Amino acid sequence: MRFFRKLSKNNTDRYNSSSSKNDELSAAVSSNEQMLRDQFAMCNDIEFRSVPLDNHSKILLVFLTGSCDTKTLDEIVLKPILFGGLAQKNISSIREIIRLQLIPIAKVKGVSKISEVVDEVLMGNAAFLIEGESTALIAELGKLEKRGIEEPPSETVIRGPRDGFTETLRINTSLIRRRIKSPKLKNESFTLGEYTKTSVEILYIEGIAQDSIVEEVRKRIGRIRIDSVLESGYIEDFIEDVPFSPFPQVQNTERPDVVCASLLEGKVAIVVDNTPYVLIVPMTFWTGLQSAEDYYERSIYTTFIRWIRFTLLNIALLFPSLYVAITTFHQQLIPTNLLISVAAAREGVPFPGVIEALLMEFMFEALREAGIRLPKPVGSAVSIVGALVIGQAAVQAGIISAPMVIVVATTGIASFGTPRYNLGFAYRILRFPILVLAGMFGFYGIVIGVVSILIHLINLRSFGVPYLGPVAPQSSGVIRDVFLRAPRWSMNERPLLSGENKQRIPEGQKPSVNRGKETK
């Protein structure tokens, strides 16, 4: 045990190592250059350029080729110095002259450590080391290739905005700022990953988000120690409450409008560089059943669609288990004519119902996974043709009964009705243990499985918020946005997890005939 504590302490020290004495910049450019060349040994994309000055001193320019905007660097800094010399003769400090020369650049700052220079250069910025100065100037000239803003392929809508997040953090935050033009929208920055130095920002609206939730997000992100963060899923693994629960406790989305709507409900967004997926916490069970389009269509349409989703969710979880339980243990519940048809279809099938269902479910999941991983032109064809050919051949060969093919196909279609992929995946996983319980104990096994899931959901928390809230614990004022989607003018208050600012819409805005007559 002592060995593991020592090993853990060494790892913590490695990630939290303090700056050593050799990390400080010196006033001699040659010494700084040697230390930087040692740091960037065998890094052929790091450019060192020495720029002579009028008084025989020099400037050392360090930048990363391909990531630094060299055109701006040449036009604003190098050409004026090389061809015009130092125009500010009356200023004694060369550092001040260079700083004034960099005024056209949006952001310029000074750093005093070698490690800080290394980090800034690797982010695409240009570092200026000046003879006689122990502080380097950093010009923000990062220029990375960016993907254009497109509609998210995983969250398409018929009515709603068509823009989606990209892999660039600053573009993603600007898409959020474009919708919420308020200084109360706060964002705090973190850097994670010993090697990747990935930029992470948390966004929340002051006064709407609860301080306790914001502080918990800060705490969980701040304690992450990892060598790399390549996608937001790396962070999700560290901040969720119950890692081994099949249900997701952190929402992810590619849509800026979903993030803004969540921020206005008191939630916190986590934006990670190099990925278009933004994390939203806390997440509730009902969030996974809601689509962005629910709030753009009329309330009566959305309410109808939500009840269809609830029905499809139950079918996706329980339909194969109910079929196996009824045909194996409770045949008396089937009407006589239907029972004769099912028995005739199952005649000659060598497997019991539960094995038959497990085989078909496994094959359906295999076809779905193959359709996702294959190239788009081939994937859809493989999924459709594979399902038709294999299903028809299995029935004709007498290995699988025709009713089972219908049950599994209906279950697969129903599983696509869940708007959030990760919540639908949780139900796809839970379908198998409930199917086994139904094959062993009939309806009693299904009840055991469903009750176990409900107990787990009731005890599950996401950043301290009940996963089934506002249904359990119940809040009558907010249920109108869970099972129903009430008209916008009637949803006057924010959800329970919001902070001090509870009012969303002032009362008294219901449309009426009398109001129309007064207008006339």
Side-chain angles (χ1 to χ4, degrees), residues 297-328:
E297 291 287 358
R298 297 182 62 207
S299 60
I300 189 172
Y301 302 157
T302 301
T303 301
F304 176 71
I305 293 298
R306 282 189 178 179
W307 279 101
I308 290 179
R309 288 185 195 139
F310 295 145
T311 305
L312 293 176
L313 191 70
N314 292 323
I315 291 174
L317 179 65
L318 300 175
F319 195 24
S321 303
L322 289 172
Y323 175 80
V324 170
I326 290 175
T327 57
T328 306

Side-chain angles (χ1 to χ4, degrees), residues 253-470:
T253 181
E254 291 185 85
R255 299 187 60 89
D257 55 330
V258 173
V259 174
C260 293
S262 300
L263 292 174
L264 291 167
E265 290 180 352
K267 298 182 181 180
V268 180
I270 304 172
V271 187
V272 184
D273 199 11
N274 302 318
T275 176
Y277 283 92
V278 173
L279 305 180
I280 301 173
V281 294
M283 178 185 179
T284 63
F285 176 80
W286 313 106
T287 303
L289 297 175
Q290 296 173 356
S291 171
E293 198 173 0
D294 291 356
Y295 300 93
Y296 305 143
E297 291 287 358
R298 297 182 62 207
S299 60
I300 189 172
Y301 302 157
T302 301
T303 301
F304 176 71
I305 293 298
R306 282 189 178 179
W307 279 101
I308 290 179
R309 288 185 195 139
F310 295 145
T311 305
L312 293 176
L313 191 70
N314 292 323
I315 291 174
L317 179 65
L318 300 175
F319 195 24
S321 303
L322 289 172
Y323 175 80
V324 170
I326 290 175
T327 57
T328 306
F329 295 95
H330 312 285
Q331 294 91 347
Q332 67 275 13
L333 297 178
I334 307 177
T336 305
N337 293 335
L338 179 60
L339 179 61
I340 294 173
S341 299
V342 171
R346 286 193 49 80
E347 185 179 3
V349 175
F351 303 110
V354 62
I355 301 299
E356 186 183 4
L358 288 173
L359 287 174
M360 287 298 298
E361 287 289 347
F362 177 80
M363 185 56 64
F364 188 88
E365 293 295 333
L367 288 170
R368 172 154 39 186
E369 186 67 16
I372 294 174
R373 303 305 165 198
L374 285 172
K376 288 184 179 179
V378 183
S380 58
V382 169
S383 300
I384 297 172
V385 175
L388 291 174
V389 172
I390 293 177
Q392 184 66 23
V395 171
Q396 290 181 352
I399 301 175
I400 302 295
S401 63
M404 182 59 72
V405 174
I406 297 173
V407 169
V408 172
T410 305
T411 303
I413 294 172
S415 64
F416 290 115
T418 306
R420 301 294 170 192
Y421 175 78
N422 49 6
L423 182 63
F425 199 90
Y427 272 81
R428 286 162 58 188
I429 294 175
L430 293 172
R431 187 188 307 153
F432 288 92
I434 294 182
L435 185 57
V436 173
L437 289 172
M440 296 173 62
F441 307 108
F443 278 162
Y444 299 104
I446 296 176
V447 171
I448 291 172
V450 172
V451 170
S452 300
I453 293 174
L454 288 176
I455 292 174
H456 174 71
L457 290 174
I458 291 172
N459 289 282
L460 194 59
R461 297 288 186 274
S462 175
F463 285 78
V465 176
Y467 199 65
L468 289 181

Side-chain angles (χ1 to χ4, degrees), residues 82-306:
L82 292 175
F83 297 102
L86 296 177
Q88 307 290 337
K89 302 286 185 179
N90 56 338
I91 300 178
S92 58
S93 173
I94 299 176
R95 179 178 179 275
E96 186 66 17
I97 297 175
I98 301 301
R99 189 185 66 80
L100 293 174
Q101 194 75 42
L102 297 174
I103 283 179
I105 298 175
K107 186 175 180 181
V108 178
K109 64 180 179 180
V111 297
S112 58
K113 297 180 180 179
I114 292 290
S115 59
E116 294 175 336
V117 175
V118 171
D119 292 342
E120 295 292 340
V121 169
L122 291 175
M123 285 191 290
N125 301 328
F128 295 86
L129 290 89
I130 306 163
E131 187 70 43
E133 298 286 344
S134 59
T135 303
L137 289 175
I138 304 297
E140 192 175 87
L141 291 170
K143 184 192 72 172
L144 299 175
E145 295 298 325
K146 303 179 182 66
R147 179 171 64 90
I149 297 176
E150 303 171 351
E151 182 180 5
S154 61
E155 297 177 78
T156 56
V157 295
I158 297 176
R159 179 179 179 179
R162 303 295 179 182
D163 57 342
F165 291 124
T166 68
E167 286 76 14
T168 306
L169 181 142
R170 197 50 62 205
I171 291 179
N172 295 342
T173 56
S174 68
L175 290 174
I176 299 173
R177 286 280 183 187
R178 179 181 177 181
R179 289 169 167 81
I180 304 179
K181 302 179 180 68
S182 171
K184 291 186 178 295
L185 174 61
K186 309 298 181 181
N187 58 331
E188 302 178 12
S189 300
F190 298 84
T191 301
L192 300 180
E194 182 186 14
Y195 297 105
T196 58
K197 307 293 183 184
T198 305
S199 298
V200 179
E201 290 192 359
I202 63 172
L203 284 79
Y204 60 93
I205 300 179
E206 187 179 32
I208 295 181
Q210 289 185 10
D211 294 336
S212 58
I213 294 179
V214 175
E215 183 59 33
E216 185 65 22
V217 175
R218 289 196 199 103
K219 179 181 176 182
R220 296 191 187 187
I221 293 180
R223 70 188 181 195
I224 295 176
R225 299 292 178 267
I226 191 172
D227 61 343
S228 64
V229 175
L230 302 179
E231 213 276 336
S232 57
Y234 284 52
I235 297 177
E236 183 176 353
D237 286 344
F238 284 95
I239 64 176
E240 57 186 357
D241 291 56
V242 185
F244 297 106
S245 172
F247 293 95
Q249 298 133 63
V250 179
Q251 180 183 349
N252 62 75
T253 181
E254 291 185 85
R255 299 187 60 89
D257 55 330
V258 173
V259 174
C260 293
S262 300
L263 292 174
L264 291 167
E265 290 180 352
K267 298 182 181 180
V268 180
I270 304 172
V271 187
V272 184
D273 199 11
N274 302 318
T275 176
Y277 283 92
V278 173
L279 305 180
I280 301 173
V281 294
M283 178 185 179
T284 63
F285 176 80
W286 313 106
T287 303
L289 297 175
Q290 296 173 356
S291 171
E293 198 173 0
D294 291 356
Y295 300 93
Y296 305 143
E297 291 287 358
R298 297 182 62 207
S299 60
I300 189 172
Y301 302 157
T302 301
T303 301
F304 176 71
I305 293 298
R306 282 189 178 179

